[in-house]
Amino acid sequence: MRSIWNGAISFGLVSIPIKLVNATESHSISFRQIHLEDGGRIRYRKVCELEEKEVGSAEIGKGYEDADGTIIPITDDDLAHLPLPTAKTIEIVAFVPADRIDPLQMDAAYYLAAGGAPAAKPYTLLREALKRSNKVAIAKFALRGRERLGMLRVVEDAIAMHGLLWPDEVRAPQGVAPDTKVTVNDKELDLADALMDTLGEIDLDDLHDEYREALEEVVAAKAAGETVPEAPEPAKGGKVLDLMAALEKSVRDAKESRGEEPAEVRHLPQRKSARATPKQAGGKKSTATATAAAKKTTASAKKTAASAKKSTATKKTAAKKTASKSTASKSTASKSTASAKKTTAKRATPRKRSA
């Protein structure tokens, strides 16, 4: 692989000569602009505004346009002598856990190749240290006229570097999420979980660019003067009126496409709530059964309440009778006491006269 940058990794006092090579490549099909009338190529020509003539690549350099429109020429030699330690060095500044890096920051990917035999030992040392620590290295480097942030990690036996966007280059997701409050119930989450289980496992090597393949077929057919393949009927879209039905059908379709058994729906733990127990799904039959049971319970409650009232009334009557008897007994006892006092008084009088 052809290197696009030569320099070194600065690892404390250790310097590792390396070559930077692209870790990815594009397989997309590119098009040329043509004149629809005759099929001629449309080209962009680089013209000098002062002389109004076309110039070649060897005559083109870089320049910075000032606020007043003045162009300040910047040469390759100026860029090569920038007062930056990262101009020709990938300077490691920290080692952090991989999950500290937000995937939104990741940019282009590169491989770092050892720059000759003397680099083999320190290169291997850094690679094995990264492996054992389960961390990634955060580095600063300069490439294509600007300083960048990078993340070094191990890929098989090589060290790879991902260019990272600076934190202030990543936009906050404000205003992206729906601003309407939506409640998702446990049953819907269970079905979504089952669908994720069905679609979640796949070998990424089995995925390929179907758009590019279809485009290649169209190009080949037109080149051979054949009929262009027709596109399949698009799936009918529209509003999803029943989310539960859509989820259930998605799970069934995904399983059938793989020749597997229907996915098991795992129920999430029920949330504690002050509301009554939710109705069980089961259609009209379940609703009717639940209604009948509710009526039966209500009737039983009414019957129990009537019995309680009757029992209370009986107790009150008995209490009144007991109270009447008690009053009568007290009256009789009072009469007896009065009679006894009278008799005693009569007996005591003669004794006084005799004295």
Side-chain angles (χ1 to χ4, degrees):
M1 291 183 281
R2 185 173 63 87
S3 64
I4 60 172
W5 184 89
N6 294 338
I9 300 174
S10 175
F11 176 31
L13 297 178
V14 179
S15 181
I16 311 171
I18 56 98
K19 296 178 180 180
L20 194 69
V21 298
N22 285 316
T24 61
E25 58 187 2
S26 174
H27 292 160
S28 62
I29 297 175
S30 59
F31 295 100
R32 303 292 186 186
Q33 289 186 325
I34 62 170
H35 187 198
L36 292 176
E37 186 176 330
D38 54 19
R41 282 279 305 275
I42 302 296
R43 297 179 184 271
Y44 292 98
R45 302 185 186 278
K46 297 179 179 180
V47 178
C48 174
E49 292 181 351
L50 296 178
E51 298 181 4
E52 295 186 353
K53 71 173 186 179
E54 187 177 351
V55 295
S57 298
E59 301 177 83
I60 298 174
K62 299 181 181 69
Y64 175 80
E65 185 174 2
D66 208 352
D68 60 359
T70 305
I71 301 295
I72 303 170
I74 301 294
T75 66
D76 289 339
D77 191 56
D78 293 332
L79 297 176
H81 293 86
L82 285 175
L84 280 176
T86 56
K88 278 292 181 182
T89 303
I90 297 174
E91 182 184 3
I92 295 177
V93 296
F95 292 89
V96 300
D99 58 8
R100 284 270 304 277
I101 306 301
D102 189 336
L104 283 173
Q105 285 186 256
M106 290 193 180
D107 201 359
Y110 309 94
Y111 285 130
L112 305 181
K121 178 73 173 180
Y123 184 98
T124 304
L125 170 65
L126 177 58
R127 183 191 66 200
E128 296 304 313
L130 287 171
K131 276 185 182 179
R132 191 167 73 171
S133 67
N134 290 320
K135 292 182 177 181
V136 296
I138 302 301
K140 294 170 73 176
F141 66 103
L143 181 66
R144 298 191 179 102
R146 57 182 289 240
E147 189 174 53
R148 303 173 183 228
L149 202 59
M151 179 190 77
L152 278 63
R153 69 185 184 94
V154 178
V155 177
E156 295 182 4
D157 289 332
I159 298 175
M161 181 172 70
H162 295 269
L164 297 178
L165 299 174
W166 296 98
D168 60 358
E169 292 179 315
V170 179
R171 293 178 175 178
Q174 294 174 352
V176 176
D179 55 2
T180 305
K181 290 186 178 179
V182 178
T183 302
V184 178
N185 61 44
D186 289 344
K187 179 64 175 176
E188 290 167 337
L189 285 173
D190 291 340
L191 285 170
D193 189 50
L195 182 57
M196 288 168 64
D197 286 343
T198 305
L199 301 177
E201 295 296 330
I202 193 170
D203 187 352
L204 294 180
D205 291 334
D206 294 338
L207 299 177
H208 55 280
D209 188 350
E210 295 182 15
Y211 178 85
R212 178 171 59 86
E213 292 176 356
L215 192 56
E216 287 173 348
E217 289 181 16
V218 170
V219 172
K222 296 204 77 170
E226 300 173 354
T227 305
V228 176
E230 291 186 4
E233 282 292 326
K236 292 182 179 180
K239 284 188 175 180
V240 179
L241 299 179
D242 189 344
L243 181 59
M244 293 291 289
L247 285 168
E248 288 173 347
K249 188 175 186 307
S250 298
V251 173
R252 286 197 302 270
D253 291 348
K255 283 294 182 180
E256 287 174 6
S257 68
R258 298 185 178 213
E260 300 175 5
E261 294 297 322
E264 179 185 353
V265 179
R266 295 180 301 181
H267 294 283
L268 299 175
Q270 295 293 326
R271 298 187 181 94
K272 292 183 179 179
S273 174
R275 297 178 299 173
T277 305
K279 291 181 182 178
Q280 304 233 345
K284 294 180 179 179
K285 188 175 179 181
S286 297
T287 305
T289 305
T291 304
K295 287 181 178 178
K296 190 173 180 182
T297 304
T298 305
S300 176
K302 287 181 178 179
K303 191 174 180 181
T304 304
S307 299
K309 285 181 179 179
K310 189 174 180 181
S311 174
T312 303
T314 304
K315 287 179 179 178
K316 284 182 178 179
T317 305
K320 284 181 180 179
K321 287 182 179 180
T322 304
S324 298
K325 287 181 180 179
S326 175
T327 304
S329 299
K330 285 180 181 179
S331 178
T332 306
S334 298
K335 287 179 180 178
S336 300
T337 304
S339 176
K341 285 181 179 179
K342 230 184 233 182
T343 306
T344 306
K346 284 181 181 180
R347 287 176 180 170
T349 305
R351 283 199 294 266
K352 285 181 181 179
R353 286 176 181 172
S354 175

